[in-house]
Structure formats: structure tokens, C-alpha cells
């Protein structure tokens, strides 16, 4: 979009009114707060809902299937950002796309809130996968639109937004998790639906006043003559996928196992295609090509990091429910509450890290070094989980403090990697593809979870030590490798740091 129009957008947003930030940030903060509340609230219950027996209110799936489904679901939720980016870019603009996304997500939670079985679960998943793909990357990219390019508040705006995400994720397990585990899973999912409804209401009620023109712009609209062709192709593709899917299910060829394999392959193929297309595009300059190559090791590191971080809501959630002494200091803990630890540590430590980077100024580690720190802490967070079984075996329950320590360590890594990675992605992606950079970053997480789906099945009490040991060790090794390569990577980044 041309600069004049960018300025017009910024001028249409009241530039003060939310902690010294543009008023638009209020709308985006609370929309995303409530969306994440619904997502992480649902996620805190979902694993238990899937493998608890029918008499306990669950679906009675076997554990390793439930773990794999969690990963595939998490992967698709972030993979679908590609669709959301495309729809915003070419058809609706970000703001309207966010709205439709929110509606689909809310419907998804409502389906889960109704007391029905496995089919309802899959319907809900489809709605939430598409809905989140429409909402999440786009609400994040509107944050970038409410500041002018030179605005010094920009970075801190993103940090405040990240706090909103985690504040939503923090209270969700305590409310949705508690109600779901204390009373009834469906009631819990119902609260998640109400959360998304509040998010939508905030968005609709305040967007005109606070966001002005931000998000209304369609960056690269489909020309009317293109429309017919593109829609026909999309229609055919959707029909083909639906047809093959139905045929697969009816004939029994499309098993959950095969679906898992399919998504795992997509998790590798999609980012690889992204890189190839960007690298070979005529619009990409030589400097940008070098930056793209530098981005590849960072992408792989981020994948490894999210592979561990995201197991917090499946492997560690299972661990919390089965391996942890939940009677602690006179209270009866709920396993879903452990999901609150990651966002709690993020919210408390994010300001400390912001201060640290500022204090270090020019002496702070380079992006690649921060990524290797991220991997190092993620690796440690798994290695400490060896101890309970190593010290006391798997017959006695572990202290909940081990999990607290593990979540604490992974968050140290997350704060070195996640905000930095998002910023680096926007700077390293070729400018012709800048609109898609949010989705590119979320692909690091999508690919990680796609691969997790293949890995999580190896976790059992018997394999616990080896499982945490190998994955934790691999992350640390990769971290060391990245550290050694970091001067070279930094050079290839051509001035971006
Ligand atoms: N946990 C964060 C969120 O839900 C970040 C996910 C990511 O960047 O992959 O927004
Ligand atoms: N830290 C994650 C993210 O930033 C939230 C979570 O895992 O609960 O949103």
C-alpha cells in the first residue's frame, strides 16, 4: 500500500487513549485477550475430555490417540493462518476477516458445549481451525497498522499485545478449567464460547471509533476478471478435499493415523514451498535472498522450540493428571491449573526481559544467539523432568514443583525467542511478501506440532526418562550448533539484527 494511504490510516486512529498508546490497541488487546481466553480455556480441558472414560464425562479415546489429535489440532490451528492471510489480503481486508473468524470460533466452542460425542468434537475442530486462521494472524497484523512506521511506541505496542494474549491464557485454565473439571466438561466449553462472544462484542462495539480505517484496506484485491477463475478453482479444491475425505472415512482408508501422517508431511512441505517461492520470485532482491537463507536455521530452531513448548498442553498436561501429587500444601490442585503457569511466568517476566535487553543495549545477544538461548532453556525444561522418575521411579507421584520448574524454564526460553522471532520475521521476509509474514511465523509452530503428532505417542511412564532425555538433549545440541553458526547467520542477515 502506498505511504499516503498508510498515513491516512494512522491519522484515522486516535493516537492516544490506551496507556499512552493508540486507542486501537485497546480494541485489539481485548479482542485477542478474549479469543485466547477461549482457546486456552478449551485447550486446558480438551486432552482430558478426549481420554477420560465416558462415565467420567469424557469420550474414552485411548491416550496416545488423544495426544496425537491435540498436536494435529494445534498444528492446523496455526497452519490455517495461511488461508486467513490470503482472504484478508485479496478479499475482505483484515478487520472483516477477524470478525468472521471470531464467529466461527464461537460456533466451534458452542458445538463442544453441547453434550454430544466424537463427531461434534471434529466439527468443532474444523470451525476453530478455520476461525483461528482467519482471526489470529490478522488481529496481530492490525496492531502494526495503528502506528506510523517511525513511531517509537511500535515495539512496546507489540509487547503490550503479547501481554494481552498471555493474560487471557492465564485466567482461562483457572475459570474454564476449574468449571470443566469440577462440574462438567461441556459447561467449561460453554464458558469458552462466552469468552469469544465477549471478544467479538468488544471488537464490533469499539472498532469504528478506535480503529478508524485500520484493517479495512484490501492489500491486493482480486480483479473482477480473476474472481471467477479463482473461486472456481477454490470451489473445486474444497469439493475435492471434501470428497476424498468423505470417501476416505466411509471406506475406512482415512484413519486417524494416516491423517496424522498427512498433516506431518504438510508441516514440512508448506514452509519449504514458502521458502522456495520467495527465494525464486523476481520481486526478491539479492540482499533479501541472503536474508531468507539466514532465516532457515532460525525457522528450524523455532520449530524445535515450539515442539517442546507446545507439549506443555499435552505431554505435561497428561503428566499433571497422572504423575503428580495433586494434594499440595493443604489444597487439592486441579490438573488443568498447570496450564496457567506458562502465561503466568510470561506476564511476570516479560517486563524483566524488556528491561534486560534495554539495559544491555548494543551488548545484547544477536537474534541467532537469543534463539540458541531459547533452545537451551527449552531443552533444560525437558531434562529436569527426568529427575522425578530417576530419583523415585514412576510408582510414586511426583511433586508438582517439578512441573513448575519445567514451565518456568521453558518461559525463559520463550521470552528469548518468541517476541524476537516475530520481529525478525517481519524484517527478514522479502518486502513483496510482507503481508504473509505473520503466517510464516505461525508456521514455525504449526510445523512443530505437526511433527509432535508423530512423537508424542512414544511417551509412556516406562519411556519417560528416555523421552524427556532425548528431546531435551536434542534441543540443547541444536542450540549449541546454532550458537556456533550465529556469527555466520548474523552476517547473512545483512544489517538486520
Ligand atoms: N503462545 C502464543 C499465542 O498463542 C504464541 C504462539 C506462536 O507464536 O506460535 O499467541
Ligand atoms: N505463552 C503462550 C503464548 O504466548 C501461551 C500459553 O502457552 O499458554 O500465548
Amino acid at each position: 500500500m502506498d505511504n499516503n494511504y498508510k498515513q491516512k490510516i494512522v491519522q484515522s486512529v486516535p493516537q492516544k487513549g490506551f496507556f499512552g498508546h493508540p486507542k486501537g490497541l485497546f480494541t485489539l488487546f481485548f479482542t485477542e485477550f478474549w479469543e485466547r481466553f477461549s482457546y486456552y480455556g478449551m485447550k486446558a480441558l480438551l486432552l482430558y475430555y478426549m481420554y477420560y472414560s465416558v462415565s467420567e464425562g469424557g469420550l474414552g479415546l485411548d491416550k496416545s490417540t488423544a495426544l496425537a489429535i491435540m498436536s494435529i489440532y494445534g498444528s492446523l490451528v496455526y497452519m490455517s493462518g495461511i488461508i486467513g492471510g490470503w482472504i484478508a489480503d485479496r478479499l475482505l481486508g483484515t478487520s472483516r476477516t477477524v470478525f468472521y473468524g471470531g464467529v466461527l470460533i464461537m460456533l466451534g466452542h458452542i458445538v463442544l458445549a453441547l453434550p454430544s460425542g466424537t463427531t461434534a468434537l471434529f466439527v468443532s475442530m474444523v470451525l476453530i481451525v478455520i476461525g483461528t486462521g482467519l482471526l489470529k494472524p490478522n488481529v496481530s497484523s492490525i496492531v502494526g497498522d495503528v502506528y506510523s512506521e517511525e513511531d517509537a511506541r511500535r515495539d512496546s505496542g507489540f509487547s503490550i499485545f503479547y501481554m494481552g494474549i498471555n493474560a487471557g491464557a492465564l485466567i482461562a485454565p483457572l475459570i474454564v478449567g476449574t468449571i470443566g473439571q469440577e462440574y462438567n466438561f461441556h459447561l467449561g466449553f460453554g464458558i469458552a464460547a462466552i469468552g469469544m462472544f465477549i471478544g467479538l462484542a468488544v471488537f464490533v462495539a469499539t472498532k469504528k471509533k478506535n480503529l478508524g480505517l485500520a484493517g479495512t484496506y484490501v492489500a491486493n484485491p482480486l480483479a473482477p476478471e480473476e474472481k471467477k477463475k479463482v473461486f472456481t478453482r477454490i470451489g473445486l479444491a474444497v469439493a475435492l478435499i471434501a470428497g476424498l475425505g468423505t470417501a476416505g472415512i466411509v471406506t475406512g482408508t482415512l484413519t486417524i493415523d494416516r491423517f496424522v501422517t498427512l498433516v506431518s508431511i504438510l508441516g514440512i512441505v508448506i514452509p519449504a514451498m514458502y521458502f522456495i517461492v520467495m527465494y525464486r520470485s523476481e520481486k526478491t532482491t539479492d540482499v533479501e535472498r541472503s536474508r531468507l537463507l539466514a532465516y532457515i536455521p532460525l525457522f528450524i530452531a523455532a520449530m524445535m522450540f515450539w515442539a517442546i513448548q507446545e507439549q506443555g498442553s499435552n505431554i505435561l498436561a497428561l503428566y499433571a493428571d497422572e504423575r503428580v501429587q495433586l494434594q499440595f500444601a493443604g489444597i487439592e490442585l486441579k490438573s488443568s491449573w498447570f496450564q496457567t503457569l506458562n502465561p503466568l511466568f510470561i506476564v511476570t517476566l516479560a517486563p524483566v526481559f524488556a528491561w534486560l535487553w534495554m539495559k544491555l543495549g548494543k551488548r545484547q545477544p544477536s537474534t541467532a544467539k537469543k534463539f540458541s538461548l531459547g533452545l537451551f532453556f527449552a531443552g533444560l525444561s525437558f531434562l529436569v523432568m527426568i529427575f522425578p522418575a530417576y530419583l523415585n521411579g514412576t510408582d510414586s507421584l511426583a511433586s508438582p514443583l517439578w512441573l513448575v520448574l519445567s514451565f518456568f524454564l521453558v518461559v525463559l526460553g520463550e521470552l528469548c525467542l518468541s517476541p524476537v522471532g516475530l520481529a525478525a520475521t517481519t524484517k527478514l521476509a522479502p518486502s513483496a511478501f510482507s503481508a504473509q509474514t505473520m503466517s510464516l511465523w505461525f508456521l514455525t509452530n504449526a510445523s512443530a506440532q505437526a511433527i509432535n503428532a508423530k512423537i508424542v505417542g512414544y511417551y509412556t511412564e516406562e519411556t519417560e526418562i528416555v523421552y524427556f532425555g532425548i528431546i531435551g538433549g536434542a534441543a540443547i545440541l541444536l542450540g549449541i550448533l546454532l550458537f556456533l553458526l550465529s556469527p555466520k547467520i548474523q552476517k547473512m542477515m545483512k544489517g538486520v539484527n
Side-chain angles (χ1 to χ4, degrees):
M1 110 179 61
D2 70 41
N3 268 339
N4 276 343
Y5 197 77
K6 255 188 198 160
Q7 265 175 6
K8 230 171 111 185
I9 292 179
V10 174
Q11 279 161 10
S12 75
V13 180
Q15 282 294 308
K16 283 233 159 59
F18 186 57
F19 296 110
H21 280 260
K23 258 198 174 145
L25 191 61
F26 169 93
T27 300
L28 302 166
F29 182 101
F30 283 106
T31 306
E32 184 58 347
F33 172 96
W34 284 111
E35 185 267 330
R36 292 285 97 183
F37 170 90
S38 72
Y39 181 70
Y40 283 110
M42 172 274 294
K43 238 179 126 180
L45 289 175
L46 192 65
L47 179 71
Y48 306 140
Y49 174 60
M50 286 193 284
Y51 78 72
Y52 276 22
S53 66
V54 177
S55 62
E56 293 169 308
L59 293 173
L61 300 179
D62 77 64
K63 269 179 212 146
S64 63
T65 308
L67 288 169
I69 295 179
M70 282 296 276
S71 293
I72 285 302
Y73 184 29
S75 171
L76 292 173
V77 154
Y78 288 127
M79 215 180 265
S80 60
I82 308 173
I83 303 173
W86 187 87
I87 292 182
D89 240 17
R90 311 227 53 189
L91 289 175
L92 299 175
T94 41
S95 178
R96 279 166 69 199
T97 313
V98 164
F99 173 78
Y100 291 122
V103 172
L104 292 179
I105 293 172
M106 186 178 71
L107 291 176
H109 292 301
I110 292 175
V111 170
L112 270 186
L114 306 172
S116 33
T118 318
T119 314
L121 173 71
F122 291 131
V123 171
S124 153
M125 285 178 166
V126 171
L127 289 168
I128 291 176
V129 162
I130 300 174
T132 314
L134 298 188
L135 186 144
K136 181 130 168 82
N138 289 315
V139 74
S140 328
S141 75
I142 309 177
V143 177
D145 293 344
V146 301
Y147 298 90
S148 71
E149 207 76 26
E150 316 72 51
D151 197 324
R153 297 172 302 175
R154 218 184 150 83
D155 279 358
S156 77
F158 271 102
S159 309
I160 295 175
F161 183 71
Y162 200 64
M163 295 286 259
I165 290 177
N166 280 281
L170 193 168
I171 60 165
L174 301 178
I175 300 174
V176 178
T178 307
I179 292 176
Q181 285 193 299
E182 183 79 26
Y183 300 102
N184 172 307
F185 284 123
H186 300 287
L187 194 59
F189 297 130
I191 309 281
I194 294 174
M196 190 63 250
F197 175 76
I198 301 176
L200 267 174
V202 172
F203 186 68
V204 171
T206 64
K207 82 173 180 339
K208 230 200 179 102
K209 209 169 99 238
N210 293 349
L211 287 175
L213 294 171
T216 56
Y217 182 78
V218 184
N220 180 14
L222 272 184
E225 64 276 10
E226 272 179 296
K227 269 193 180 153
K228 206 172 147 205
K229 201 173 84 195
V230 173
F231 287 155
T232 320
R233 279 195 193 161
I234 294 177
L236 284 176
V238 172
L240 188 70
I241 294 173
L244 284 177
T246 317
I249 294 169
V250 173
T251 57
T253 14
L254 187 66
T255 55
I256 289 188
D257 242 15
R258 291 203 177 124
F259 187 67
V260 167
T261 308
L262 187 70
V263 177
S264 307
I265 295 172
L266 284 181
I268 309 274
V269 170
I270 293 177
M273 269 168 44
Y274 247 77
F275 279 110
I276 293 173
V277 167
M278 286 195 280
Y279 195 84
R280 297 184 49 180
S281 162
E282 279 163 25
K283 295 178 190 156
T284 306
T285 64
D286 285 344
V287 169
E288 287 177 331
R289 285 211 175 90
S290 167
R291 288 182 178 154
L292 262 180
L293 291 182
Y295 192 71
I296 293 173
L298 298 181
F299 190 96
I300 294 170
M303 253 173 84
M304 179 84 228
F305 173 81
W306 291 117
I308 291 186
Q309 196 268 9
E310 290 287 354
Q311 289 191 41
S313 57
N314 54 31
I315 296 295
L316 297 190
L318 176 67
Y319 192 96
D321 205 48
E322 301 207 317
R323 290 272 294 112
V324 168
Q325 177 60 261
L326 291 172
Q327 299 284 358
F328 185 73
I331 29 175
E332 170 78 30
L333 303 173
K334 294 217 180 301
S335 43
S336 59
W337 291 352
F338 287 88
Q339 296 306 313
T340 213
L341 290 170
N342 172 306
L344 178 68
F345 287 133
I346 295 267
V347 170
T348 40
L349 293 173
V352 179
F353 272 72
W355 171 85
L356 183 72
W357 300 144
M358 214 166 66
K359 179 109 178 127
L360 286 173
K362 281 206 159 34
R363 285 173 304 142
Q364 66 179 287
S366 63
T367 299
K369 288 216 170 91
K370 282 182 186 161
F371 268 55
S372 59
L373 278 172
L375 281 178
F376 174 74
F377 285 119
L380 269 191
S381 82
F382 260 34
L383 291 186
V384 298
M385 292 311 294
I386 291 176
F387 283 98
Y390 180 73
L391 297 175
N392 302 315
T394 48
D395 289 335
S396 59
L397 293 176
S399 158
L401 294 177
W402 287 110
L403 274 184
V404 176
L405 177 63
S406 178
F407 277 108
F408 175 76
L409 287 167
V410 87
V411 164
L412 294 184
E414 189 166 342
L415 287 166
C416 291
L417 185 140
S418 175
V420 188
L422 189 55
T425 309
T426 54
K427 292 182 210 149
L428 290 173
S431 60
F433 296 90
S434 67
Q436 287 160 36
T437 51
M438 283 297 167
S439 0
L440 183 62
W441 174 248
F442 288 126
L443 277 183
T444 60
N445 192 320
S447 303
Q449 295 199 67
I451 292 172
N452 272 357
K454 282 276 171 202
I455 296 173
V456 289
Y458 291 103
Y459 173 87
T460 59
E461 273 177 23
E462 294 75 50
T463 57
E464 195 174 300
I465 294 183
V466 184
Y467 185 87
F468 288 128
I470 291 184
I471 298 176
I476 290 182
L477 278 181
L478 195 62
I480 295 174
L481 190 66
L482 187 66
F483 189 86
L484 295 175
L485 284 174
S486 64
K488 202 162 173 167
I489 296 174
Q490 213 54 41
K491 218 154 129 212
M492 288 168 68
M493 285 166 65
K494 307 261 181 222
V496 171
N497 44 37

